[in-house]
Amino acid sequence: MTSTTKDEPTPQQEDRHEMADRLLRSSETLSYDPIKEVDWETPLDTDYHGTSPEWSTLYGTAYWAEMTPEQQRELTRQEAASVASTGIWFEMILQQMVLRDFYAKDPTDPAFQWALTEIADECRHSIMFARGAAKLRAPAYRPPRPVVELGRIFKTVASGEAAYAAILVAEEVLDVMQRDWMRDERVVPFVRTVNNIHVVEESRHMKFAREETKARLAGAGWLRRQAQAVVVAGASYFIVTSMWNKKVYENAGLDVKRAVREAKANEHHKSMLRSSCAGLMEFLNSAGLLTKASHWFYKRANLI
């Protein structure tokens, strides 16, 4: 008889270990220090936008056409800060969910080590976003209090595929927007650098979230998929609808009531969101997480 001290890994576990190893190696060779990479010293040049104008919530509306170029640029800078602030809020939720998921697990597992690497990335990203918002001369934009409290509950109870799929939704939506902004010469240079850093490093996070979502759903029954699909969709709705705080209009010197009204009816912005989520929705559908009930939330958030 022979004895072993550790069970032989399954083929699925081996694939997971291999993927985590690749992500760790990629992180070693292609990661950034925002403190050094971003130009924090040069004063803000107000001749630039904060985001691609086409991504503004008011772009294409009658109000946008009436605004001066200076007002348009100020609005996009405030909107960039609002999106960044929402990113910080969700990255803090993400970090706590991942830490809780890997609590007391095998530290020699490459997936464990990658999880800590991702958390370290997110800490740097949050500091980078915070400094970026301050340089854009924006206040601290926060989601509405009920959403903050729902986030507190979600980070405490969400697990498995619900946690990783929600992480994926937040990262994918932001990724598409930032890929546009980082290439746009109308956007202030330091914001383009911030976006580039985030896109490069988040690509690894999205890969991990996709694989973890699929792994956690392996063998899941119909009822579990239905329930988790609603949880993910609900979280997605609150994340996306919190990205553009209505206070950005006041801080850009606009008529808040009119701006909110026209932004809500802005079909151009809704179309931009939907197009950005095509790949994400395809993945959720393939994973069995795009159900009739969840469809309602995604439609309300203009993601589908």
Side-chain angles (χ1 to χ4, degrees), residues 42-50 68-78 135-137 186-190:
T42 301
L44 176 67
D45 188 340
T46 56
D47 286 337
Y48 286 94
H49 285 275
T68 67
E70 291 76 17
Q71 287 177 314
Q72 293 172 351
R73 292 194 295 268
E74 180 60 31
L75 175 60
T76 63
R77 290 195 295 269
Q78 293 297 320
K135 185 165 181 175
L136 288 168
R137 303 173 186 171
R186 297 169 296 176
V187 174
V188 64
F190 92 88

Side-chain angles (χ1 to χ4, degrees), residues 121-135:
D121 287 346
E122 298 295 5
C123 285
R124 291 196 306 275
H125 294 168
S126 292
I127 295 170
M128 177 175 69
F129 285 160
R131 293 188 68 171
K135 185 165 181 175

Side-chain angles (χ1 to χ4, degrees), residues 84-287:
S85 296
T86 304
I88 294 169
W89 167 68
F90 189 74
E91 283 179 344
M92 295 184 74
I93 292 175
L94 179 161
Q95 292 171 55
Q96 293 177 75
M97 291 193 298
V98 174
L99 273 174
R100 182 161 47 81
D101 187 37
F102 280 88
Y103 175 72
K105 290 186 177 178
D106 180 3
T108 66
D109 182 349
F112 180 98
Q113 296 168 31
W114 165 252
L116 294 184
T117 301
E118 179 169 341
I119 290 167
D121 287 346
E122 298 295 5
C123 285
R124 291 196 306 275
H125 294 168
S126 292
I127 295 170
M128 177 175 69
F129 285 160
R131 293 188 68 171
K135 185 165 181 175
L136 288 168
R137 303 173 186 171
Y141 291 112
R142 296 185 182 90
R145 174 54 61 180
V147 177
V148 170
E149 296 308 319
L150 285 171
R152 197 185 304 279
I153 296 170
F154 183 75
K155 73 177 178 58
T156 304
V157 302
S159 61
E161 61 273 10
Y164 286 100
I167 288 170
L168 181 64
V169 170
E171 291 175 338
E172 290 256 7
V173 173
L174 193 55
D175 180 74
V176 174
M177 290 190 291
Q178 290 187 320
R179 285 179 185 274
D180 285 347
W181 304 348
M182 74 184 194
R183 301 186 186 105
D184 194 336
E185 294 184 357
R186 297 169 296 176
V187 174
V188 64
F190 92 88
V191 170
R192 295 178 63 192
T193 304
V194 166
N195 291 331
N196 183 67
I197 291 172
H198 198 248
V199 163
V200 169
E201 298 186 346
E202 287 293 325
S203 65
R204 295 188 287 262
H205 301 182
M206 290 188 291
K207 172 66 174 175
F208 187 67
R210 282 175 180 258
E211 295 304 316
E212 286 297 302
T213 299
K214 290 190 290 187
R216 304 307 172 93
L217 280 170
W222 179 86
L223 183 60
R224 175 175 156 186
R225 289 177 189 265
Q226 292 289 312
Q228 295 290 61
V230 171
V231 172
V232 173
S236 303
Y237 170 81
F238 289 113
I239 293 166
V240 173
T241 56
S242 296
M243 284 185 172
W244 292 275
N245 192 306
K246 66 181 180 181
K247 290 182 181 179
V248 299
Y249 306 121
E250 178 182 351
N251 293 325
L254 303 180
D255 179 332
V256 176
K257 289 184 178 180
R258 182 184 175 188
V260 169
R261 184 173 64 251
E262 295 205 22
K264 285 183 177 180
N266 189 356
E267 291 301 325
H268 170 80
H269 193 254
K270 294 176 185 178
S271 175
M272 294 286 282
L273 280 174
R274 286 194 296 269
S275 64
S276 75
C277 292
L280 171 64
M281 292 303 152
E282 183 178 340
F283 170 77
L284 292 175
N285 187 50
S286 69

